Every structure is written in C-alpha cells, then in structure tokens.
Amino acid sequence: MTKKQASTDDLIAAIIKGIDDVKGEDIQLLDLRDIDNTVCDYFVICSGNSNTQVNAISGAVQKVVSKELKDKPWHIEGTGNSEWVLMDYVNVVVHIFQKSVREFYDIESLWGDAIITEINPA
C-alpha cells in the first residue's frame, strides 16, 4: 500500500500553524512556481527573536507536520547556531531566521520575481 502524498496547500498550512504555535513573526510565503530553474515551488520565511525561539519554531514545524501529515523534512540545516534554520520539504522550503540575520541576507529581495504573500495567522 502506498502512502498518500499530502497536498502542498496542506503542507504550507501545517508549516504556518507550527510557526504560529511558538509565536514566529513576519511570516511570508514566496510563490516561486512561475520562475525558471527554481529548486522548489514555495519558500515560507519567518523570524524569531533568539536562537532558542528559532529552534522552537523548527521543532514546532516538525511536530505539526509530522502529526497532521505524517511527513518529515528531507533535510534540515542550521540548527547548530540557530541563526538561520532551513527545512527542506522538497517542494516547500522553510527559512527560519533571527531578525538581524534575515535583514542581512534579505532573501525576499533575491527572489524579487516571486509572488510574496504576507501571512497573518489568526
């Protein structure tokens, strides 16, 4: 029996719920589907106020996605110093930054052709 693949919309919703559960801030969804040669379809970007909160956001995203969709990230990077944690769910990549690091790298500007949606969870 094959496992049913979760839809991208369900994955994004679970990721955002995980971020919101631990008060991640400034959540943005970048739609990269209309850009040639991208590594995935979407980026979800958010900020935390400390390395502890960045780690908490990463853990919460993993927990919610695992619980709701029975899925796990293909790869995670950056948990050593928790300034920028990248979680690769193949077609959705999550970037969790400390605020100063996010301002420095400004990846939203690097992907200026993407459709950017501000997410304001309830």
Side-chain angles (χ1 to χ4, degrees), residues 59-112:
V61 168
Q62 287 181 70
K63 183 179 175 182
V64 171
V65 171
S66 176
K67 183 178 176 184
E68 292 186 3
L69 304 176
K70 309 290 188 261
D71 199 358
K72 61 182 181 180
W74 178 70
H75 185 73
I76 299 176
E77 285 184 28
T79 55
N81 63 8
S82 300
E83 292 180 351
W84 176 1
V85 174
L86 181 143
M87 304 175 71
D88 187 349
Y89 283 94
V90 182
N91 59 340
V92 179
V93 175
V94 184
H95 298 271
I96 307 165
F97 288 97
Q98 286 189 35
K99 288 181 180 182
S100 61
V101 176
R102 183 174 180 175
E103 290 170 8
F104 179 80
Y105 286 103
D106 192 20
I107 65 172
E108 295 92 336
S109 291
L110 293 175
W111 294 94

Side-chain angles (χ1 to χ4, degrees), residues 18-19 22-25 46-49 52-62 87 94 96-97:
I19 294 168
V22 287
K23 308 293 188 250
E25 299 175 355
C46 71
S47 300
N49 294 310
T52 303
Q53 188 180 21
V54 168
N55 266 337
I57 293 168
S58 173
V61 168
Q62 287 181 70
M87 304 175 71
V94 184
I96 307 165
F97 288 97

